[in-house]
Amino acid sequence: MDGSSSPNGCAGGAILSDQMSLTADSPAHSSSSDDFAAFLDAELDTASGTSSELEEETEEEKDDEEQDENNDPGEDGDPKNSSNSARVKRRKVGNYIGSGDPHGSSRSRGERGGVSVEMEMCTHPGVIGGMCIRCGQHLENESGVSFGYIHRNLRLASDEVARLREKDLKNLLQRKKLYLVLDLDHTLLNSTRLFDILAEEEYLKDAIPDALKGSFFRLDRIHMMTKLRPYVYNFLKEASELFEMYIYTMGERPYALEMAKLLDPRDVYFHSKVIAQGDSTQRHLKGLDIVLGQESSVLILDDTEAVWGKHKENLILVERYHFFSSSVRQFGFDCKSLSQRQIDESEEEGALVAILKILKQIHSLFFDLKQGDDLLKSDVREVLKGVRKEVLKGCKIVFSRVFPNNIQAEKHHLWRIAEQLGATCSIEVDESVTHVVSMDAGTEKSRWARQNKKFLVHPKWIEAANYRFERKPEKDFPVAVPEVASS
């Protein structure tokens, strides 16, 4: 986990996964805004019959289905009948998902009784419970990527994932939307276990203060408290008009679903698009390989950069939200949490307000630049990079005693962030330098900055610019001048 400090003097990251372990994995939600997941739900979780979008069933399939209805596996417990029923349903799902797919199947002609017969050779675009979703064939070796958060035991082949992504992207761009992947802990909310509450926070156990009503929840059945970040409901409402949204957390599924209910009680934003720790294909890492969206059209909001190893170019880093004391202690910071001080982040000027402004700017630039086929070739990562480059454009920065001696300056994360924000970084001072970044006003370079009327700022000035995508006033990030010892 990334332990970098934040402008408020505290730092943190997503709550450790063992704190989020509540019970064994619960069934994944099955309803999804995309037609594929919705159809899987209707066909595999309910007895709702066929969809109007299905291809017509063959007479053999109809006979199989009628036989299954007459031999209810719930009555006689015959696993063969149950398997036949599942096989028919998966065949119907295959007809739907494979329709229009040039890679879904190949056909060859054979002879039966002197009559030419078209035989279908299925390429198995996906699997549920060991059976192909298209042809119903039992497969010994399951391959592909798991999408269990959409439907339990669902795996899709890479070609099918690519097809679905391409299809969904076209539909999404027509609606002028992009994808947005949202972290939970320290990004949209902050949670703590009840037994981690300190004496200074005991007031939260008795009665919810008026100022916290509507955003504070005591969840006794899972022995936790959760505080939603100020402005989160407005943020989700406005962001949903511009983005198709996912939740992606390193917490476990039961916890993730509980938090999704708090954030989206009417289930209008996320549906089945809640990804938890067990869904990731790499341990302790998050990845867009299990998001049904093209990487070129995905933005990520997270407080921890390290977990997005392959997708940092999609990431907008969010200043961590530390409401509970356990959040501060978790990362070893010697400061009081918001709950201990009985205050909260600003509703009008908090992190989510600033982030929403950034998202709107990026969305506008993405859709204003190109149209039609050119829009399909556009990459939101390039737009994000361009917006970020404008933040500290024109600044030339020299660092003074900020980096450890054993780390090359150019490889330090603050140097890298400054360059991403458009600044030029240098090791030595000259007249073109505009800022000296230091934690010690007594260094030679710090004294040079004061003598030459250059900006002398604390490293948190760069961090604040990175979180808010704007150059903050230098006077708000002073470097303390050491007191001269009296003789």
Side-chain angles (χ1 to χ4, degrees):
M1 292 294 182
D2 180 14
S4 61
S5 60
S6 61
N8 62 13
C10 296
I15 290 181
L16 298 177
S17 60
D18 60 348
Q19 295 182 353
M20 299 313 175
S21 180
L22 305 175
T23 62
D25 270 358
S26 60
H29 285 182
S30 296
S31 61
S32 174
S33 61
D34 64 270
D35 48 11
F36 166 57
F39 183 76
L40 282 174
D41 175 52
E43 286 299 309
L44 301 180
D45 274 358
T46 73
S48 60
T50 61
S51 167
S52 61
E53 296 186 47
L54 283 172
E55 296 176 1
E56 293 184 5
E57 299 176 54
T58 65
E59 290 300 322
E60 180 182 356
E61 289 169 348
K62 291 178 180 177
D63 291 341
D64 286 344
E65 191 170 10
E66 289 173 3
Q67 181 179 350
D68 293 331
E69 290 174 354
N70 294 329
N71 295 277
D72 182 4
E75 294 291 335
D76 58 20
D78 185 352
K80 181 179 179 181
N81 291 338
S82 176
S83 176
N84 285 341
S85 178
R87 189 178 295 272
V88 170
K89 285 187 175 183
R90 283 158 179 76
R91 187 183 295 122
K92 291 191 294 182
V93 173
N95 287 339
Y96 173 77
I97 191 172
S99 61
D101 180 8
H103 307 294
S105 65
S106 60
R107 296 180 182 272
S108 62
R109 292 192 177 272
E111 296 291 329
R112 180 183 297 171
V115 179
S116 178
V117 181
E118 190 173 44
M119 303 297 291
E120 186 175 19
M121 306 297 291
C122 183
T123 56
H124 311 310
V127 175
I128 292 180
M131 299 180 73
C132 175
I133 62 176
R134 190 170 196 278
C135 69
Q137 179 181 339
H138 180 74
L139 303 175
E140 293 293 336
N141 297 319
E142 293 189 356
S143 59
V145 180
S146 174
F147 285 85
Y149 68 91
I150 294 178
H151 198 288
R152 180 180 288 279
N153 298 324
L154 171 65
R155 302 183 72 88
L156 296 176
S158 57
D159 287 349
E160 184 65 6
V161 172
R163 185 185 75 85
L164 290 170
R165 283 176 174 163
E166 182 179 358
K167 176 183 176 183
D168 201 40
L169 178 62
K170 291 178 180 178
N171 293 334
L172 210 63
L173 293 180
Q174 286 177 355
R175 294 186 287 136
K176 286 198 171 183
K177 280 193 170 186
L178 296 169
Y179 302 96
L180 181 62
V181 177
L182 298 164
D183 174 53
L184 284 179
D185 298 291
H186 299 89
T187 298
L188 299 182
L189 51 84
N190 190 204
S191 293
T192 188
R193 296 175 294 189
L194 291 177
F195 57 77
D196 283 331
I197 292 292
L198 297 183
E200 295 169 279
E201 300 170 290
E202 285 290 332
Y203 70 96
L204 295 171
K205 290 185 177 181
D206 301 327
I208 300 177
D210 290 340
L212 301 182
K213 287 181 178 178
S215 66
F216 177 83
F217 300 89
R218 176 168 172 164
L219 308 170
D220 287 322
R221 66 189 182 87
I222 60 173
H223 312 292
M224 300 193 76
M225 289 182 177
T226 294
K227 173 65 176 65
L228 303 185
R229 196 165 200 162
Y231 198 71
V232 69
Y233 287 129
N234 288 332
F235 172 86
L236 292 175
K237 181 178 183 297
E238 294 197 42
S240 69
E241 297 173 0
L242 307 175
F243 299 90
E244 190 78 8
M245 299 190 297
Y246 285 75
I247 284 174
Y248 199 148
T249 176
M250 294 304 282
E252 295 191 7
R253 175 154 297 277
Y255 172 77
L257 295 179
E258 287 289 338
M259 297 302 104
K261 289 177 185 176
L262 298 182
L263 293 166
D264 185 16
R266 296 183 180 180
D267 196 26
V268 295
Y269 301 136
F270 302 114
H271 305 295
S272 69
K273 300 187 296 296
V274 179
I275 304 174
Q277 180 193 63
D279 300 309
S280 294
T281 55
Q282 297 185 66
R283 192 177 182 184
H284 303 312
L285 290 176
K286 298 179 179 181
L288 294 180
D289 54 337
I290 56 173
V291 173
L292 284 177
Q294 296 280 22
E295 292 181 17
S296 60
S297 58
V298 178
L299 291 175
I300 302 166
L301 294 187
D302 205 314
D303 67 284
T304 305
E305 182 183 37
V307 296
W308 290 102
K310 296 181 180 179
H311 306 290
K312 290 183 174 65
E313 291 184 346
N314 301 78
L315 176 65
I316 297 175
L317 199 63
V318 182
E319 183 180 359
R320 291 186 175 113
Y321 182 50
H322 298 286
F323 185 78
F324 296 106
S325 61
S326 62
S327 176
V328 174
R329 298 197 306 273
Q330 178 184 342
F331 299 97
F333 288 89
D334 186 20
C335 60
K336 288 192 174 184
S337 67
L338 295 170
S339 61
Q340 290 174 283
R341 294 151 61 192
Q342 299 193 24
I343 60 173
D344 202 356
E345 191 175 270
S346 171
E347 179 83 22
E348 294 78 22
E349 300 178 0
L352 293 182
V353 177
I355 291 295
L356 182 61
K357 181 181 177 182
I358 296 166
L359 291 176
K360 287 181 176 180
Q361 181 184 5
I362 294 171
H363 180 276
S364 177
L365 288 172
F366 182 91
F367 284 98
D368 287 349
L369 288 176
K370 297 179 181 179
Q371 295 180 348
D373 291 339
D374 288 338
L375 196 59
L376 287 169
K377 300 175 184 177
S378 298
D379 195 325
V380 74
R381 292 169 292 193
E382 293 301 315
V383 179
L384 173 58
K385 187 185 297 183
V387 171
R388 191 175 265 139
K389 278 280 188 183
E390 293 295 315
V391 177
L392 295 182
K393 185 178 180 180
C395 297
K396 185 173 181 179
I397 297 172
V398 167
F399 295 89
S400 179
R401 291 189 190 174
V402 174
F403 311 141
N405 292 330
N406 61 341
I407 294 181
Q408 187 176 348
E410 292 84 351
K411 294 183 178 180
H412 193 273
H413 74 278
L414 282 177
W415 183 293
R416 174 176 54 83
I417 290 172
E419 288 189 331
Q420 289 175 350
L421 295 174
T424 301
C425 297
S426 177
I427 297 175
E428 300 297 332
V429 296
D430 59 42
E431 283 304 310
S432 65
V433 169
T434 59
H435 295 73
V436 171
V437 176
S438 178
M439 291 185 288
D440 183 356
T443 69
E444 181 179 344
K445 291 175 182 176
S446 296
R447 292 194 298 271
W448 176 89
R450 294 199 305 273
Q451 293 168 358
N452 290 272
K453 297 183 179 180
K454 307 292 185 178
F455 290 112
L456 176 62
V457 293
H458 194 275
K460 291 178 182 178
W461 176 74
I462 295 177
E463 294 174 356
N466 192 41
Y467 288 130
R468 298 300 178 107
F469 277 53
E470 63 180 3
R471 177 174 165 178
K472 306 297 289 185
E474 285 83 359
K475 63 181 178 59
D476 294 341
F477 299 86
V479 181
V481 179
E483 296 182 4
V484 180
S486 58
S487 56

